[in-house]
Amino acid sequence: MKTLLLSMAMGAAFTAQAANVDVKITNATDGIYFTPLIVAAHSPDAYLFRTGEAASADVEAMAEGGDISGLVTLAEGVGAAVEANPAEGILDPGASTSTTLYANHGDVLSIAAMLLPSNDAFIGVDSWKIPKKKGTYVIRANGYDAGTEANDELAGSVPTPPFITFGEGGTGVDTEVANETVHIHPGNLGDTDATGGLSDFDSTKHRWLNPVAIITVTVY
């Protein structure tokens, strides 16, 4: 009987300190694409990025080229539960992807992926505290600027996948990085001149405002 009670108590303690967490990410933009996402549940003493701090080389690689491999290695190195590329590629405007993570008591949630087209913009969730109480919660995620590249909005400065139509002949929106730390992105400017103007981005498709993603978190 004592063995049974001890077993039940240990099981209850284990359940109280861990939970399955469903994470659904919806691209809330009209014409912006998300590169492969990293979704991680980890202890609050670790982080992928920090607003107001200079971007790491791993954040720069993600924000400028969509490469999440460095961030995945970082997260796994601190014992995080990690899902890399849950959408199995690009997440289109209006589309959603989901994953389930096993989170420990006290864990936080972090998410990142480059926004296309942009110079160094990314969707970011920084250490959102996972609730202890079971239920469904909604995060409205912002787009961040890594502060590593000027937002010139020129096709030669950004990845140019075939599913995005760029203009040409732009002279550049910005020539310098005004804020060299991670900060809220002002959004693309774009223009409607396909053969000139300041930007090679189409303002009728590639402008955006925050939030850029709706994230539904279910704890059970």
Side-chain angles (χ1 to χ4, degrees):
M1 184 63 177
K2 290 183 179 180
T3 302
L4 176 59
L5 291 174
L6 178 61
S7 177
M8 292 173 63
M10 292 178 63
F14 182 79
T15 301
Q17 294 189 15
N20 284 321
V21 180
D22 285 344
V23 182
K24 179 182 178 182
I25 302 166
T26 300
N27 182 336
T29 73
D30 183 57
I32 302 298
Y33 298 80
F34 298 174
T35 61
L37 290 141
I38 175 173
V39 185
H42 56 87
S43 66
D45 57 356
Y47 58 89
L48 300 185
F49 70 94
R50 276 287 188 265
T51 305
E53 296 184 6
S56 66
D58 293 331
V59 170
E60 181 177 3
M62 175 273 298
E64 291 188 10
D67 180 5
I68 59 172
S69 60
L71 290 178
V72 170
T73 299
L74 172 67
E76 291 177 341
V78 296
V82 181
E83 179 65 33
N85 194 17
E88 298 183 349
I90 297 296
L91 189 64
D92 294 340
S96 299
T97 187
S98 298
T99 188
T100 299
L101 299 174
Y102 190 68
N104 291 313
H105 175 70
D107 273 359
V108 296
L109 179 69
S110 294
I111 299 172
M114 183 185 185
L115 301 179
L116 287 175
S118 77
N119 291 91
D120 61 345
F122 64 99
I123 168 186
V125 174
D126 174 28
S127 303
W128 181 81
K129 187 175 181 179
I130 299 172
K132 300 177 183 178
K133 186 176 179 181
K134 295 179 180 179
T136 298
Y137 306 85
V138 175
I139 306 169
R140 290 169 173 80
N142 291 323
Y144 289 88
D145 190 316
T148 57
E149 183 175 320
N151 296 322
D152 61 15
E153 299 185 13
L154 299 180
S157 303
V158 304
T160 53
F163 48 82
I164 295 179
T165 300
F166 290 89
E168 58 184 7
T171 57
V173 175
D174 286 332
T175 59
E176 298 180 353
V177 178
N179 184 346
E180 296 183 348
T181 65
V182 176
H183 57 279
I184 295 293
H185 200 288
N188 293 334
L189 178 65
D191 60 39
T192 56
D193 187 345
T195 59
L198 293 175
S199 176
D200 290 338
F201 298 174
D202 184 343
S203 61
T204 67
K205 299 178 181 178
H206 303 143
R207 293 194 71 173
W208 51 272
L209 297 172
N210 284 316
V212 294
I214 305 300
I215 299 168
T216 305
V217 180
T218 304
V219 181
Y220 62 96

